[in-house]
Protein backbone atom coordinates (compact mmCIF):
# COMPACT_ATOMS: atom_id res chain seq x y z
CA UNK A 1 0.00 0.00 0.00
CA UNK A 2 1.14 3.55 -0.76
CA UNK A 3 1.46 6.23 1.91
CA UNK A 4 0.13 9.72 2.45
CA UNK A 5 2.44 12.69 1.99
CA UNK A 6 2.19 14.96 5.04
CA UNK A 7 4.67 17.60 6.20
CA UNK A 8 7.34 16.46 3.74
CA UNK A 9 7.19 12.82 4.86
CA UNK A 10 5.57 9.67 3.47
CA UNK A 11 3.25 8.53 6.27
CA UNK A 12 0.76 5.70 6.88
CA UNK A 13 -2.89 6.72 7.31
CA UNK A 14 -4.24 6.56 10.84
CA UNK A 15 -7.11 4.52 9.39
CA UNK A 16 -4.86 1.61 8.40
CA UNK A 17 -7.30 1.01 5.56
CA UNK A 18 -6.85 1.17 1.81
CA UNK A 19 -8.70 1.64 -1.48
CA UNK A 20 -7.95 -0.60 -4.47
CA UNK A 21 -7.08 1.05 -7.76
CA UNK A 22 -8.55 -0.81 -10.76
CA UNK A 23 -7.38 -0.83 -14.39
CA UNK A 24 -10.62 -0.11 -16.30
CA UNK A 25 -9.39 -1.92 -19.43
CA UNK A 26 -8.61 -5.23 -17.66
CA UNK A 27 -10.68 -4.88 -14.45
CA UNK A 28 -7.56 -5.95 -12.50
CA UNK A 29 -6.46 -4.37 -9.23
CA UNK A 30 -3.19 -2.58 -9.95
CA UNK A 31 -2.44 -0.66 -6.77
CA UNK A 32 -3.76 0.34 -3.37
CA UNK A 33 -3.80 3.80 -1.80
CA UNK A 34 -4.56 4.77 1.80
CA UNK A 35 -8.17 5.48 2.72
CA UNK A 36 -7.33 8.65 4.64
CA UNK A 37 -9.23 9.64 7.78
CA UNK A 38 -10.14 12.97 9.41
CA UNK A 39 -7.04 12.56 11.64
CA UNK A 40 -4.84 12.58 8.50
CA UNK A 41 -6.56 15.73 7.25
CA UNK A 42 -5.94 17.32 10.62
CA UNK A 43 -2.22 16.50 10.45
CA UNK A 44 -1.97 17.74 6.86
CA UNK A 45 -3.92 20.96 7.50
CA UNK A 46 -1.82 21.71 10.60
CA UNK A 47 1.39 21.16 8.61
CA UNK A 48 0.09 23.43 5.84
CA UNK A 49 -0.90 26.09 8.39
CA UNK A 50 2.56 25.95 10.00
CA UNK A 51 4.31 26.19 6.62
CA UNK A 52 2.16 29.08 5.36
CA UNK A 53 3.97 31.98 7.02
CA UNK A 54 7.40 31.17 5.67
CA UNK A 55 6.20 29.95 2.23
CA UNK A 56 4.06 33.05 1.68
CA UNK A 57 7.08 35.14 2.66
CA UNK A 58 9.48 33.58 0.13
CA UNK A 59 10.40 35.67 -2.88
CA UNK A 60 8.01 35.12 -5.79
CA UNK A 61 11.10 34.39 -7.90
CA UNK A 62 11.99 31.44 -5.65
CA UNK A 63 8.49 29.99 -5.84
CA UNK A 64 8.56 30.45 -9.60
CA UNK A 65 11.88 28.60 -9.88
CA UNK A 66 10.56 25.63 -7.89
CA UNK A 67 7.47 25.41 -10.09
CA UNK A 68 9.62 25.61 -13.23
CA UNK A 69 11.78 22.74 -11.95
CA UNK A 70 8.64 20.72 -11.18
CA UNK A 71 7.42 21.36 -14.73
CA UNK A 72 10.78 20.19 -16.18
CA UNK A 73 10.68 16.98 -14.12
CA UNK A 74 7.10 16.33 -15.17
CA UNK A 75 8.16 16.69 -18.81
CA UNK A 76 11.13 14.35 -18.30
CA UNK A 77 8.86 11.73 -16.72
CA UNK A 78 5.95 12.32 -19.08
CA UNK A 79 6.14 8.88 -20.66
CA UNK A 80 5.95 7.05 -17.29
CA UNK A 81 3.23 9.31 -15.95
CA UNK A 82 1.17 8.97 -19.14
CA UNK A 83 1.39 5.18 -18.73
CA UNK A 84 0.14 5.51 -15.16
CA UNK A 85 -2.84 7.61 -16.32
CA UNK A 86 -3.60 5.28 -19.25
CA UNK A 87 -3.59 2.40 -16.75
CA UNK A 88 -5.61 3.83 -13.87
CA UNK A 89 -8.18 5.91 -15.79
CA UNK A 90 -8.12 4.33 -19.24
CA UNK A 91 -7.22 7.25 -21.53
CA UNK A 92 -5.52 6.10 -24.77
CA UNK A 93 -1.76 6.39 -24.27
CA UNK A 94 -1.19 9.11 -26.92
CA UNK A 95 -3.90 11.28 -25.37
CA UNK A 96 -2.66 10.49 -21.87
CA UNK A 97 0.77 11.76 -22.93
CA UNK A 98 -0.17 14.85 -24.89
CA UNK A 99 -3.18 16.13 -22.99
CA UNK A 100 -3.23 14.42 -19.61
CA UNK A 101 0.49 14.90 -18.89
CA UNK A 102 2.20 17.46 -21.13
CA UNK A 103 -0.65 19.97 -20.81
CA UNK A 104 -0.24 20.05 -16.99
CA UNK A 105 3.53 20.51 -17.50
CA UNK A 106 2.72 23.56 -19.65
CA UNK A 107 0.28 24.87 -17.05
CA UNK A 108 2.92 24.47 -14.31
CA UNK A 109 5.46 26.35 -16.42
CA UNK A 110 2.90 29.11 -17.05
CA UNK A 111 2.34 29.62 -13.32
CA UNK A 112 6.12 29.52 -12.70
CA UNK A 113 6.20 32.61 -14.92
CA UNK A 114 3.08 34.26 -13.48
CA UNK A 115 4.37 33.77 -9.90
CA UNK A 116 6.79 36.59 -10.67
CA UNK A 117 5.17 38.58 -13.43
CA UNK A 118 1.58 38.98 -12.20
CA UNK A 119 1.23 42.41 -10.54
CA UNK A 120 0.31 42.29 -6.85
CA UNK A 121 0.12 45.96 -6.01
CA UNK A 122 -1.61 49.00 -7.44
CA UNK A 123 -2.38 52.55 -6.35
CA UNK A 124 -5.93 53.96 -6.28
CA UNK A 125 -6.11 57.56 -5.01
CA UNK A 126 -4.54 57.53 -1.56
CA UNK A 127 -4.65 53.72 -1.29
CA UNK A 128 -2.13 51.00 -1.95
CA UNK A 129 -3.99 47.81 -2.91
CA UNK A 130 -2.17 44.57 -2.07
CA UNK A 131 -2.90 41.06 -3.33
CA UNK A 132 -1.89 38.50 -0.69
CA UNK A 133 -2.13 34.69 -0.65
CA UNK A 134 -5.39 33.45 0.84
CA UNK A 135 -3.74 30.89 3.15
CA UNK A 136 -4.19 27.12 3.36
CA UNK A 137 -5.99 25.73 0.31
CA UNK A 138 -7.91 22.45 0.36
CA UNK A 139 -7.95 21.04 -3.17
CA UNK A 140 -10.41 18.26 -4.10
CA UNK A 141 -10.17 16.83 -7.62
CA UNK A 142 -11.91 14.33 -9.94
CA UNK A 143 -10.63 11.38 -11.97
CA UNK A 144 -11.25 12.42 -15.57
CA UNK A 145 -8.14 14.57 -16.09
CA UNK A 146 -6.50 13.39 -12.87
CA UNK A 147 -3.23 15.34 -13.15
CA UNK A 148 -4.48 18.38 -15.07
CA UNK A 149 -7.25 19.11 -12.55
CA UNK A 150 -4.71 18.94 -9.71
CA UNK A 151 -2.19 21.19 -11.44
CA UNK A 152 -4.95 23.73 -12.29
CA UNK A 153 -5.30 24.25 -8.52
CA UNK A 154 -1.94 23.45 -6.98
CA UNK A 155 0.22 25.44 -9.44
CA UNK A 156 -1.58 28.80 -9.00
CA UNK A 157 -2.02 28.20 -5.24
CA UNK A 158 1.72 27.63 -4.75
CA UNK A 159 2.57 30.49 -7.12
CA UNK A 160 0.35 32.82 -5.08
CA UNK A 161 2.14 31.76 -1.86
CA UNK A 162 -0.56 29.45 -0.47
CA UNK A 163 0.04 26.01 1.02
CA UNK A 164 -2.05 23.02 -0.04
CA UNK A 165 -3.82 19.91 1.22
CA UNK A 166 -4.81 17.85 -1.83
CA UNK A 167 -7.36 15.07 -1.99
CA UNK A 168 -7.23 13.47 -5.43
CA UNK A 169 -10.01 11.26 -6.75
CA UNK A 170 -9.99 7.81 -5.17
CA UNK A 171 -10.89 6.39 -8.59
CA UNK A 172 -7.67 7.42 -10.41
CA UNK A 173 -5.26 8.64 -7.73
CA UNK A 174 -1.87 7.50 -9.07
CA UNK A 175 -0.84 10.64 -11.01
CA UNK A 176 -1.22 12.61 -7.77
CA UNK A 177 1.41 10.37 -6.22
CA UNK A 178 3.79 11.00 -9.12
CA UNK A 179 3.34 14.75 -8.61
CA UNK A 180 3.96 14.46 -4.85
CA UNK A 181 7.20 12.60 -5.60
CA UNK A 182 8.27 15.43 -7.89
CA UNK A 183 7.49 18.07 -5.26
CA UNK A 184 9.47 16.06 -2.70
CA UNK A 185 12.47 15.72 -5.00
CA UNK A 186 12.66 19.39 -5.90
CA UNK A 187 12.83 20.26 -2.22
CA UNK A 188 9.48 21.98 -1.72
CA UNK A 189 9.59 22.85 2.01
CA UNK A 190 7.71 20.42 4.33
CA UNK A 191 4.03 21.23 4.77
CA UNK A 192 3.76 23.35 1.62
CA UNK A 193 2.13 20.50 -0.32
CA UNK A 194 0.32 17.60 1.38
CA UNK A 195 -1.46 14.65 -0.20
CA UNK A 196 -4.28 12.81 1.60
CA UNK A 197 -5.98 10.20 -0.56
CA UNK A 198 -9.33 8.70 0.39
CA UNK A 199 -13.08 8.80 -0.06
CA UNK A 200 -14.92 12.06 -0.78
CA UNK A 201 -17.43 11.91 2.08
CA UNK A 202 -14.58 11.22 4.55
CA UNK A 203 -11.43 13.08 3.47
CA UNK A 204 -13.14 15.63 1.21
CA UNK A 205 -15.68 16.61 3.86
CA UNK A 206 -12.96 16.79 6.54
CA UNK A 207 -11.03 19.23 4.32
CA UNK A 208 -14.11 21.32 3.51
CA UNK A 209 -14.92 21.75 7.21
CA UNK A 210 -11.41 21.97 8.72
CA UNK A 211 -10.85 25.22 10.66
CA UNK A 212 -7.22 25.54 9.46
CA UNK A 213 -8.28 25.54 5.79
CA UNK A 214 -8.95 29.05 4.40
CA UNK A 215 -10.19 28.14 0.94
CA UNK A 216 -11.59 25.07 -0.77
CA UNK A 217 -11.08 24.61 -4.48
CA UNK A 218 -13.24 21.77 -5.75
CA UNK A 219 -13.61 20.17 -9.17
CA UNK A 220 -16.21 17.46 -9.63
CA UNK A 221 -19.93 16.89 -9.85
CA UNK A 222 -22.45 19.60 -9.03
CA UNK A 223 -23.92 17.35 -6.33
CA UNK A 224 -20.63 16.97 -4.41
CA UNK A 225 -19.77 20.63 -5.08
CA UNK A 226 -22.96 21.73 -3.34
CA UNK A 227 -22.06 19.64 -0.30
CA UNK A 228 -18.52 21.04 -0.20
CA UNK A 229 -19.83 24.62 -0.45
CA UNK A 230 -22.36 23.99 2.34
CA UNK A 231 -19.69 22.59 4.67
CA UNK A 232 -17.22 25.36 3.82
CA UNK A 233 -19.84 28.03 4.53
CA UNK A 234 -19.92 27.06 8.23
CA UNK A 235 -16.51 28.66 8.69
CA UNK A 236 -16.98 31.16 5.83
CA UNK A 237 -14.18 29.76 3.67
CA UNK A 238 -13.52 31.07 0.22
CA UNK A 239 -14.87 28.54 -2.29
CA UNK A 240 -14.01 27.88 -5.93
CA UNK A 241 -16.12 25.30 -7.75
CA UNK A 242 -15.53 23.73 -11.16
CA UNK A 243 -18.58 21.57 -11.76
CA UNK A 244 -20.43 19.77 -14.50
CA UNK A 245 -21.56 20.80 -17.95
CA UNK A 246 -23.94 20.02 -20.82
CA UNK A 247 -22.34 22.16 -23.45
CA UNK A 248 -23.79 22.99 -26.86
CA UNK A 249 -22.17 22.90 -30.28
CA UNK A 250 -24.34 25.40 -32.12
CA UNK A 251 -24.09 25.20 -35.90
CA UNK A 252 -25.61 28.21 -37.69
CA UNK A 253 -26.87 28.12 -41.29
CA UNK A 254 -24.03 28.85 -43.72
CA UNK A 255 -21.34 27.35 -41.46
CA UNK A 256 -18.94 24.71 -42.75
CA UNK A 257 -21.18 21.79 -41.76
CA UNK A 258 -18.66 19.02 -42.43
CA UNK A 259 -15.99 20.67 -40.25
CA UNK A 260 -18.47 21.62 -37.54
CA UNK A 261 -19.82 18.07 -37.24
CA UNK A 262 -16.38 16.42 -37.43
CA UNK A 263 -14.83 18.67 -34.77
CA UNK A 264 -18.00 18.52 -32.68
CA UNK A 265 -18.10 14.72 -32.67
CA UNK A 266 -14.40 14.56 -31.76
CA UNK A 267 -14.98 16.97 -28.91
CA UNK A 268 -18.00 15.04 -27.61
CA UNK A 269 -16.09 11.75 -27.57
CA UNK A 270 -12.65 12.87 -26.39
CA UNK A 271 -11.53 11.05 -23.22
CA UNK A 272 -14.50 8.70 -23.85
CA UNK A 273 -16.85 11.62 -23.27
CA UNK A 274 -15.58 12.04 -19.73
CA UNK A 275 -14.84 15.74 -20.14
CA UNK A 276 -16.67 18.43 -18.21
CA UNK A 277 -16.61 20.77 -21.21
CA UNK A 278 -17.67 18.07 -23.73
CA UNK A 279 -19.92 19.40 -26.49
CA UNK A 280 -22.49 16.71 -25.75
CA UNK A 281 -25.35 18.52 -27.55
CA UNK A 282 -25.17 19.38 -31.24
CA UNK A 283 -27.73 22.02 -32.17
CA UNK A 284 -28.26 22.23 -35.94
CA UNK A 285 -30.62 24.16 -38.19
CA UNK A 286 -33.59 22.06 -39.39
CA UNK A 287 -32.44 22.42 -43.06
CA UNK A 288 -29.01 20.94 -42.25
CA UNK A 289 -30.26 18.42 -39.72
CA UNK A 290 -30.43 15.18 -41.76
CA UNK A 291 -27.05 15.84 -43.33
CA UNK A 292 -25.52 16.59 -39.90
CA UNK A 293 -26.89 13.31 -38.50
CA UNK A 294 -25.44 11.38 -41.46
CA UNK A 295 -22.04 13.02 -41.00
CA UNK A 296 -22.07 12.39 -37.24
CA UNK A 297 -22.90 8.71 -37.69
CA UNK A 298 -20.12 8.37 -40.26
CA UNK A 299 -17.66 10.05 -37.90
CA UNK A 300 -18.75 7.91 -34.92
CA UNK A 301 -18.27 4.70 -36.91
CA UNK A 302 -14.63 5.62 -37.56
CA UNK A 303 -13.76 5.45 -33.86
CA UNK A 304 -11.77 2.43 -32.74
CA UNK A 305 -12.70 1.47 -29.21
CA UNK A 306 -10.14 -0.61 -27.36
CA UNK A 307 -7.15 -1.05 -25.12
CA UNK A 308 -5.52 2.30 -24.20
CA UNK A 309 -2.12 0.92 -25.23
CA UNK A 310 -3.18 -0.28 -28.72
CA UNK A 311 -1.94 2.19 -31.29
CA UNK A 312 -5.18 2.53 -33.24
CA UNK A 313 -7.38 3.14 -30.18
CA UNK A 314 -9.22 6.44 -30.12
CA UNK A 315 -11.65 5.57 -27.34
CA UNK A 316 -10.54 3.78 -24.18
CA UNK A 317 -12.85 2.28 -21.56
CA UNK A 318 -14.86 4.39 -19.14
CA UNK A 319 -13.12 4.82 -15.82
CA UNK A 320 -15.15 2.35 -13.74
CA UNK A 321 -17.99 -0.16 -13.75
CA UNK A 322 -20.07 2.47 -11.94
CA UNK A 323 -19.48 5.05 -14.66
CA UNK A 324 -20.19 2.50 -17.43
CA UNK A 325 -23.46 1.47 -15.74
CA UNK A 326 -24.48 5.12 -15.38
CA UNK A 327 -23.94 5.73 -19.10
CA UNK A 328 -25.85 2.55 -20.00
CA UNK A 329 -28.79 3.82 -17.93
CA UNK A 330 -28.78 7.11 -19.87
CA UNK A 331 -28.64 5.33 -23.24
CA UNK A 332 -31.65 3.22 -22.22
CA UNK A 333 -33.42 6.32 -20.94
CA UNK A 334 -32.85 8.15 -24.24
CA UNK A 335 -34.54 5.32 -26.14
CA UNK A 336 -37.45 5.23 -23.66
CA UNK A 337 -37.90 8.97 -24.15
CA UNK A 338 -38.27 8.45 -27.90
CA UNK A 339 -34.89 9.67 -29.13
CA UNK A 340 -33.53 7.75 -32.13
CA UNK A 341 -30.34 5.73 -31.54
CA UNK A 342 -28.41 6.12 -34.81
CA UNK A 343 -24.95 4.90 -33.72
CA UNK A 344 -23.51 2.89 -30.85
CA UNK A 345 -25.69 1.79 -27.95
CA UNK A 346 -25.17 -0.47 -24.98
CA UNK A 347 -23.83 -3.53 -26.85
CA UNK A 348 -20.06 -4.04 -26.97
CA UNK A 349 -17.73 -6.81 -28.19
CA UNK A 350 -15.37 -6.42 -25.25
CA UNK A 351 -15.55 -9.22 -22.70
CA UNK A 352 -13.53 -7.34 -20.12
CA UNK A 353 -13.18 -3.65 -19.47
CA UNK A 354 -15.78 -0.93 -19.01
CA UNK A 355 -16.35 -0.13 -22.67
CA UNK A 356 -19.12 1.89 -24.34
CA UNK A 357 -19.35 2.35 -28.11
CA UNK A 358 -19.50 5.92 -29.45
CA UNK A 359 -23.21 6.68 -29.37
CA UNK A 360 -25.30 9.20 -31.29
CA UNK A 361 -28.94 10.09 -30.67
CA UNK A 362 -31.00 11.93 -33.30
CA UNK A 363 -34.51 13.29 -32.77
CA UNK A 364 -33.57 14.67 -29.38
CA UNK A 365 -35.93 17.31 -28.05
CA UNK A 366 -35.22 20.05 -25.51
CA UNK A 367 -36.24 18.89 -22.04
CA UNK A 368 -35.49 15.19 -22.52
CA UNK A 369 -33.36 13.78 -19.70
CA UNK A 370 -30.50 12.93 -22.11
CA UNK A 371 -30.63 16.56 -23.31
CA UNK A 372 -30.58 18.06 -19.80
CA UNK A 373 -28.29 15.91 -17.65
CA UNK A 374 -24.55 15.39 -17.82
CA UNK A 375 -23.99 11.81 -19.00
CA UNK A 376 -20.17 11.82 -18.88
CA UNK A 377 -19.72 9.16 -21.54
CA UNK A 378 -19.39 9.04 -25.35
CA UNK A 379 -23.01 9.99 -26.04
CA UNK A 380 -23.95 12.80 -28.42
CA UNK A 381 -27.46 14.26 -28.78
CA UNK A 382 -28.42 16.09 -31.99
CA UNK A 383 -31.19 18.66 -31.67
CA UNK A 384 -32.81 20.70 -34.49
CA UNK A 385 -33.63 24.43 -34.37
CA UNK A 386 -35.65 26.77 -36.59
CA UNK A 387 -34.39 30.25 -35.59
CA UNK A 388 -31.25 31.66 -33.99
CA UNK A 389 -33.27 32.82 -30.98
CA UNK A 390 -34.55 29.29 -30.50
CA UNK A 391 -31.00 27.91 -30.83
CA UNK A 392 -29.75 30.24 -28.10
CA UNK A 393 -32.68 29.27 -25.88
CA UNK A 394 -31.89 25.57 -26.35
CA UNK A 395 -28.15 26.10 -25.77
CA UNK A 396 -28.87 28.00 -22.54
CA UNK A 397 -31.72 25.72 -21.50
CA UNK A 398 -29.93 23.54 -18.95
CA UNK A 399 -28.81 24.32 -15.38
CA UNK A 400 -25.22 24.35 -16.67
CA UNK A 401 -23.05 26.92 -18.43
CA UNK A 402 -19.50 25.64 -18.71
CA UNK A 403 -18.48 25.64 -22.38
CA UNK A 404 -19.86 25.74 -25.91
CA UNK A 405 -19.07 26.26 -29.56
CA UNK A 406 -20.60 28.36 -32.31
CA UNK A 407 -20.01 27.80 -36.02
CA UNK A 408 -21.10 30.54 -38.41
CA UNK A 409 -20.64 31.61 -41.99
CA UNK A 410 -18.20 34.24 -40.72
CA UNK A 411 -16.28 34.69 -37.47
CA UNK A 412 -18.34 37.82 -36.76
CA UNK A 413 -21.62 35.93 -37.15
CA UNK A 414 -20.43 33.24 -34.72
CA UNK A 415 -19.09 35.77 -32.20
CA UNK A 416 -22.39 37.67 -32.25
CA UNK A 417 -24.23 34.51 -31.14
CA UNK A 418 -21.46 33.49 -28.68
CA UNK A 419 -21.89 36.84 -26.89
CA UNK A 420 -25.50 35.89 -26.13
CA UNK A 421 -24.68 32.53 -24.50
CA UNK A 422 -24.61 32.16 -20.70
CA UNK A 423 -21.47 30.04 -20.57
CA UNK A 424 -17.83 30.40 -19.54
CA UNK A 425 -15.99 29.38 -22.74
CA UNK A 426 -17.03 29.38 -26.39
CA UNK A 427 -15.02 28.02 -29.31
CA UNK A 428 -15.58 30.06 -32.47
CA UNK A 429 -15.47 28.14 -35.78
CA UNK A 430 -13.27 25.45 -34.19
CA UNK A 431 -11.00 27.74 -32.14
CA UNK A 432 -8.59 25.58 -30.08
CA UNK A 433 -8.45 25.20 -26.30
CA UNK A 434 -6.08 27.78 -24.82
CA UNK A 435 -4.48 26.90 -21.45
CA UNK A 436 -3.84 30.60 -20.76
CA UNK A 437 -7.51 31.55 -21.06
CA UNK A 438 -9.74 31.45 -17.96
CA UNK A 439 -11.87 28.31 -17.67
CA UNK A 440 -14.98 27.94 -15.52
CA UNK A 441 -18.71 28.02 -15.38
CA UNK A 442 -21.79 30.19 -15.32
CA UNK A 443 -24.88 29.01 -13.42
CA UNK A 444 -24.53 25.56 -11.81
CA UNK A 445 -21.26 24.85 -13.60
CA UNK A 446 -19.42 26.60 -10.82
CA UNK A 447 -17.95 29.62 -9.13
CA UNK A 448 -14.61 31.14 -10.07
CA UNK A 449 -12.11 30.48 -12.83
CA UNK A 450 -9.08 28.27 -13.33
CA UNK A 451 -6.11 28.80 -15.66
CA UNK A 452 -4.43 32.02 -16.73
CA UNK A 453 -4.25 35.15 -14.62
CA UNK A 454 -7.86 34.78 -13.40
CA UNK A 455 -6.90 31.32 -12.13
CA UNK A 456 -4.09 32.85 -10.05
CA UNK A 457 -6.26 35.62 -8.67
CA UNK A 458 -8.61 33.07 -7.10
CA UNK A 459 -5.86 32.39 -4.56
CA UNK A 460 -5.48 36.03 -3.42
CA UNK A 461 -6.98 38.06 -0.62
CA UNK A 462 -7.12 41.81 -1.13
CA UNK A 463 -5.83 44.39 1.36
CA UNK A 464 -6.13 48.17 1.03
CA UNK A 465 -3.65 50.45 2.79
CA UNK A 466 -4.84 54.06 3.07
CA UNK A 467 -1.81 56.34 2.81
P1 LIG B 1 -17.30 13.60 -7.90
O1 LIG B 1 -18.04 14.82 -7.54
O2 LIG B 1 -17.86 12.29 -7.60
O3 LIG B 1 -15.86 13.61 -7.20
C1 LIG B 1 -14.96 14.68 -7.33
C2 LIG B 1 -14.09 14.73 -6.10
O4 LIG B 1 -14.91 15.07 -4.98
C3 LIG B 1 -13.45 13.38 -5.74
O5 LIG B 1 -12.18 13.61 -5.19
C4 LIG B 1 -14.40 12.83 -4.69
O6 LIG B 1 -13.79 11.92 -3.82
C5 LIG B 1 -14.79 14.10 -3.97
N1 LIG B 1 -16.07 14.02 -3.26
C6 LIG B 1 -17.15 13.25 -3.55
N2 LIG B 1 -18.12 13.45 -2.63
C7 LIG B 1 -17.66 14.40 -1.77
C8 LIG B 1 -18.17 15.03 -0.60
N3 LIG B 1 -19.38 14.72 -0.12
N4 LIG B 1 -17.41 15.94 0.03
C9 LIG B 1 -16.18 16.26 -0.43
N5 LIG B 1 -15.62 15.67 -1.50
C10 LIG B 1 -16.36 14.77 -2.17
O7 LIG B 1 -16.94 13.75 -9.45
P2 LIG B 1 -16.15 12.72 -10.35
O8 LIG B 1 -17.08 11.61 -10.69
O9 LIG B 1 -14.81 12.41 -9.78
O10 LIG B 1 -15.87 13.63 -11.64
C11 LIG B 1 -16.82 13.84 -12.61
C12 LIG B 1 -17.51 15.18 -12.42
O11 LIG B 1 -16.56 16.22 -12.36
C13 LIG B 1 -18.39 15.53 -13.59
O12 LIG B 1 -19.61 16.06 -13.13
C14 LIG B 1 -17.61 16.60 -14.33
O13 LIG B 1 -18.36 17.46 -15.09
C15 LIG B 1 -16.92 17.29 -13.22
N6 LIG B 1 -15.72 17.98 -13.71
C16 LIG B 1 -15.75 19.34 -13.83
C17 LIG B 1 -14.65 20.02 -14.33
C18 LIG B 1 -14.64 21.50 -14.48
O14 LIG B 1 -13.58 22.07 -14.63
N7 LIG B 1 -15.77 22.16 -14.44
C19 LIG B 1 -13.52 19.31 -14.69
C20 LIG B 1 -13.54 17.92 -14.59
C21 LIG B 1 -14.65 17.27 -14.07
Amino acid sequence: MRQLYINGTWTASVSGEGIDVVNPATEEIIDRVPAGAPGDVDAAASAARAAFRSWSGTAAEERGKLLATASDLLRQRADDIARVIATDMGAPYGFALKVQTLLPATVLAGYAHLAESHPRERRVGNSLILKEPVGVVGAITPWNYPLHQIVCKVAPALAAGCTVVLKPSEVAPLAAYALAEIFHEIGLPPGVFNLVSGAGPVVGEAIASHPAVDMVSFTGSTLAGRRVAALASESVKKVALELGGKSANLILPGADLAAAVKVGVANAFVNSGQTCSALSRMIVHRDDYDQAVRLAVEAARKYTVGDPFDEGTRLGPLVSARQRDRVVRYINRGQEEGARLVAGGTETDHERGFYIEPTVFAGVEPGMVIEQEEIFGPVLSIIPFMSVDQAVTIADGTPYGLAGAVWGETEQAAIAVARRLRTGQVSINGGAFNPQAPFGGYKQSGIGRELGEEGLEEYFETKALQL
Side-chain angles (χ1 to χ4, degrees):
M1 175 136 81
R2 294 187 180 232
Q3 294 190 310
L4 307 176
Y5 185 68
I6 297 175
N7 206 19
T9 309
W10 293 100
T11 321
S13 165
V14 295
S15 78
E17 287 169 18
I19 299 174
D20 289 334
V21 182
V22 174
N23 177 338
T26 63
E27 305 186 25
E28 285 162 1
I29 294 171
I30 50 167
D31 213 321
R32 194 166 161 81
V33 297
D40 301 314
V41 172
D42 196 38
S46 304
R49 183 86 262 149
F52 175 67
R53 198 158 279 281
S54 66
W55 177 249
S56 59
T58 54
E61 188 188 2
E62 197 179 317
R63 291 199 300 274
K65 266 192 196 145
L66 280 164
L67 290 178
T69 312
S71 169
D72 291 345
L73 267 187
L74 191 52
R75 235 167 238 290
Q76 282 166 28
R77 294 181 191 171
D79 177 48
D80 287 347
I81 295 173
R83 283 174 191 284
V84 162
I85 295 173
T87 310
D88 81 349
M89 74 77 53
Y93 169 76
F95 184 78
L97 179 65
K98 192 170 158 214
V99 176
Q100 298 269 18
T101 309
L102 293 175
L103 172 62
T106 301
V107 172
L108 256 174
Y111 281 114
H113 175 68
L114 281 177
E116 283 183 64
S117 64
H118 187 76
R120 294 188 185 212
E121 296 188 10
R122 71 188 162 95
R123 287 289 301 260
V124 176
N126 69 321
S127 298
L128 177 64
I129 314 293
L130 306 179
K131 295 285 177 188
E132 299 184 337
V134 70
V136 175
V137 172
I140 303 173
T141 55
W143 45 260
N144 58 333
Y145 289 81
L147 184 60
H148 176 66
Q149 306 296 352
I150 290 170
V151 167
C152 283
K153 301 182 186 313
V154 172
L158 297 182
C162 298
T163 55
V164 175
V165 178
L166 167 70
K167 190 206 93 64
S169 165
E170 61 277 35
V171 181
L174 300 182
Y177 280 82
L179 185 67
E181 279 161 20
I182 286 175
F183 283 151
H184 187 71
E185 278 178 49
I186 65 170
L188 206 62
V192 169
F193 171 82
N194 305 273
L195 165 64
V196 182
S197 54
V202 181
V203 176
E205 295 201 10
I207 289 174
S209 37
H210 199 283
V213 172
D214 298 292
M215 169 176 173
V216 188
S217 178
F218 172 90
T219 299
S221 59
T222 298
L223 195 67
R226 264 191 217 118
R227 175 79 180 136
V228 164
L231 290 170
S233 72
E234 286 294 316
S235 49
V236 196
K237 297 185 198 319
K238 193 170 180 186
V239 174
L241 302 173
E242 293 287 341
L243 308 175
K246 189 74 183 174
S247 298
N249 184 22
L250 203 168
I251 307 174
L252 297 169
D256 180 345
L257 189 65
V261 172
K262 185 169 173 238
V263 173
V265 167
N267 178 295
F269 293 160
V270 76
N271 212 30
S272 293
Q274 302 166 124
T275 301
C276 51
S277 55
L279 301 175
S280 52
R281 295 181 300 148
M282 186 179 284
I283 304 179
V284 193
H285 192 270
R286 170 53 69 206
D287 293 347
D288 297 324
Y289 189 80
D290 293 342
Q291 175 69 353
V293 170
R294 262 194 302 278
L295 289 166
V297 170
E298 233 171 69
R301 294 219 171 107
K302 285 194 187 133
Y303 276 74
T304 312
V305 180
D307 188 286
F309 289 99
D310 287 350
E311 240 174 53
T313 294
R314 278 182 82 190
L315 230 64
L318 298 200
V319 77
S320 62
R322 189 164 164 238
Q323 190 64 20
R324 190 258 330 264
D325 294 347
R326 175 189 150 98
V327 175
V328 165
R329 280 198 299 277
Y330 275 112
I331 294 175
N332 290 333
R333 182 70 189 258
Q335 290 171 283
E336 287 156 20
E337 286 182 305
R340 205 155 35 87
L341 185 70
V342 289
T346 55
E347 299 294 317
T348 173
D349 296 337
H350 295 87
E351 277 175 21
R352 292 183 78 74
F354 311 127
Y355 290 98
I356 292 275
E357 299 300 315
T359 296
V360 180
F361 276 109
V364 178
E365 285 166 23
M368 285 182 175
V369 169
I370 58 162
E371 194 267 341
Q372 286 288 308
E373 296 185 10
E374 183 179 50
I375 297 175
F376 230 52
V379 182
L380 174 68
S381 294
I382 312 185
I383 308 150
F385 71 84
M386 297 294 282
S387 69
V388 174
D389 283 351
Q390 189 196 12
V392 169
T393 303
I394 296 170
D396 280 346
T398 78
Y400 296 112
L402 187 58
V406 181
W407 297 78
E409 192 167 6
T410 61
E411 188 174 274
Q412 286 68 23
I415 289 175
V417 173
R419 285 184 190 276
R420 298 174 61 184
L421 299 176
R422 302 274 302 153
T423 191
Q425 287 235 338
V426 187
S427 162
I428 301 296
N429 283 346
F433 176 76
N434 174 4
Q436 291 180 320
F439 182 96
Y442 283 36
K443 302 192 288 182
Q444 291 188 30
S445 287
I447 301 173
R449 292 294 177 268
E450 292 195 320
L451 295 171
E453 303 210 37
E454 285 82 354
L456 180 63
E457 288 187 346
E458 292 289 332
Y459 296 93
F460 288 140
E461 275 288 9
T462 304
K463 184 183 281 173
L465 308 183
Q466 272 61 253
L467 310 176

